[in-house]
Amino acid sequence: MLSVFSSPGHYVQGRDATAALGSELTRLGIDGPVLIVAGGSARRLLNDSWERSLTDAKIAYSVHDSSGECSRAELARITAVAQDTGSRALLGAGGGKVLDSARAVADDLGLPMISCPTTASSDAPCSALSVIYTDTGEFEAYQLVRRNPALVLVDTSVIVRAPARLLAAGMGDALATWFEARTCTSARVRNMRGGASTRSATALAQLCYDTLLSDGPQALAAVREQAVTPALERIVEANTLLSGLGFESSGLAAAHAVHNGLTAAPATHSYLHGEKVAFGVLTQLVLEGAAADEIDTVLNFCAEVGLPTTLAALGLADADSDTLSAVATRATAPGETIHNEPFTVDAAMTLDALRTADALGRRGRA
């Protein structure tokens, strides 16, 4: 098995980075027309900046308002717009689902894709992977695309205007990176690009975890004040770049499979991807028999930044056995990443781990 490391073509991050969009696209040889797939807040926050930067660079563009869901129906709508406008590149601006939609359509049409996240709520911006959901919000499939984004441009002056909950959710998603990378590397399973992990990917995954622990609470305080600080910049990089490189080039395991399982319970649909992944991390650690001090460190971190550590915190306070069994069954479906664990995992084991993680979270809250 060959070792494979994947990354975006270019990564640009900093205060008022959107002003450099036009020059960055010109440097990449992208001269338009560009279709911008935008979430509502992205269009409100960035419309004037796009006009200045892209007009100065003489790049034609149009904007399509995203539905906010990365579903087959939304992909079909974006594809029709891209074809009608003769677009030669797609730019996703908004949260993870908006970026996933732009990425999937760009791949289908053979066009370069640019990621411009307006939140640091997940590690979606850098990857060559789109997560497809049903129209009702249930996980459907991972869709691998042929190329990572040509450019990831992260404007931290925009990131800090998003709710603090979104930054915390990004930390929940990033929290899984080291634990899943560690598992996949030791089990010698294929990463998201079909190869073995490199030492670089593992090191980046561990740096991601270390950064969360050292800078997470301070960055959360900064974003509550809409302040761009060094700690905030480091956490944005951890949530976006380090986590993105780490998960894609090392692999996913139980934590993200538990997230997918939780989407089978409608009560969890209003909770964010990273919030469900954070509980998935606790479940994975229980499933693997991790040391108590490691679990306590994760519990304490989650409590400090406001991430869920119980089923009740994900809307499942009164979940019956059928609901939890459905979550465990979905998490262990054939092809799920929980099967990257270095031992055989079934629904009964996963259900026990879910319940035990919940008990540990309740004890910690008490």
Side-chain angles (χ1 to χ4, degrees):
M1 182 166 56
L2 298 176
S3 297
V4 178
F5 183 90
S6 294
S7 69
H10 297 273
Y11 183 87
V12 177
Q13 176 185 314
R15 189 192 299 266
D16 298 323
T18 308
L21 177 61
S23 60
E24 289 293 329
L25 294 182
T26 298
R27 184 170 59 82
L28 292 172
I30 298 173
D31 56 5
V34 174
L35 176 62
I36 298 175
V37 180
S41 61
R43 186 162 191 164
R44 175 173 53 83
L45 293 169
L46 291 171
N47 198 58
D48 290 345
S49 297
W50 291 332
E51 185 172 1
R52 286 193 298 271
S53 185
L54 296 177
T55 300
D56 287 347
K58 297 181 173 57
I59 296 174
Y61 72 98
S62 57
V63 182
H64 168 77
D65 293 322
S66 169
S67 71
E69 191 60 80
C70 184
S71 64
R72 302 295 180 188
E74 174 65 0
L75 300 186
R77 284 191 290 270
I78 297 170
T79 298
V81 175
Q83 291 173 330
D84 288 346
T85 56
S87 299
R88 296 175 60 186
L90 268 80
L91 185 153
K97 290 185 177 182
V98 176
L99 303 186
D100 280 355
S101 297
R103 178 179 9 254
V105 172
D107 184 64
D108 287 344
L109 298 178
L111 301 174
M113 185 266 177
I114 299 96
S115 281
C116 294
T118 54
T119 70
S121 60
S122 78
D123 52 21
C126 292
S127 76
L129 172 75
S130 288
V131 184
I132 311 298
Y133 293 86
T134 65
D135 288 329
T136 58
E138 186 173 344
F139 171 83
E140 180 179 310
Y142 290 121
Q143 180 173 322
L144 293 173
V145 302
R146 288 166 289 184
R147 291 181 290 181
N148 293 75
L151 169 67
V152 177
L153 188 144
V154 187
D155 191 331
T156 48
S157 60
V158 173
I159 298 291
V160 296
R161 298 175 69 179
R165 180 187 176 191
L166 296 179
L167 186 74
M171 288 190 265
D173 197 20
L175 183 63
T177 304
W178 163 240
F179 296 109
E180 292 185 300
R182 180 178 70 180
T183 292
C184 291
T185 301
S186 63
R188 296 189 60 78
V189 298
R190 295 183 185 274
N191 61 23
M192 304 306 289
R193 307 306 295 168
S197 180
T198 61
R199 294 181 66 199
S200 300
T202 306
L204 291 171
Q206 185 158 24
L207 176 60
C208 179
Y209 180 60
D210 293 343
T211 303
L212 294 177
L213 296 186
S214 63
D215 291 314
Q218 187 184 146
L220 198 60
V223 83
R224 285 177 176 140
E225 299 300 321
Q226 296 191 353
V228 178
T229 66
L232 185 279
E233 293 279 9
R234 290 192 292 269
I235 285 297
V236 170
E237 182 183 345
N239 287 6
T240 308
L241 182 63
L242 297 179
S243 183
L245 297 177
F247 101 79
E248 187 170 29
S249 295
S250 290
L252 301 177
H256 273 79
V258 170
H259 162 276
N260 297 342
L262 287 166
T263 68
T268 70
H269 289 181
S270 62
Y271 294 88
L272 300 172
H273 172 83
E275 292 172 335
K276 287 175 272 196
V277 170
F279 187 77
V281 172
L282 291 173
T283 305
Q284 176 176 324
L285 292 176
V286 171
L287 190 67
E288 294 175 343
D293 59 346
E294 187 168 61
I295 292 176
D296 286 343
T297 297
V298 170
L299 281 168
N300 291 337
F301 172 77
C302 289
E304 196 165 10
V305 299
L307 288 167
T309 57
T310 65
L311 290 169
L314 289 169
L316 296 175
D318 302 315
D320 56 26
S321 58
D322 288 345
T323 298
L324 294 182
S325 293
V327 170
T329 298
R330 180 63 191 82
T332 54
E336 261 298 349
T337 57
I338 203 167
H339 301 299
N340 284 337
E341 296 290 332
F343 48 84
T344 301
V345 181
D346 59 26
M349 294 168 59
T350 304
L351 180 58
D352 286 345
L354 281 166
R355 287 174 167 159
T356 302
D358 177 58
L360 290 172
R362 285 186 279 112
R363 184 199 69 185
R365 291 178 66 86

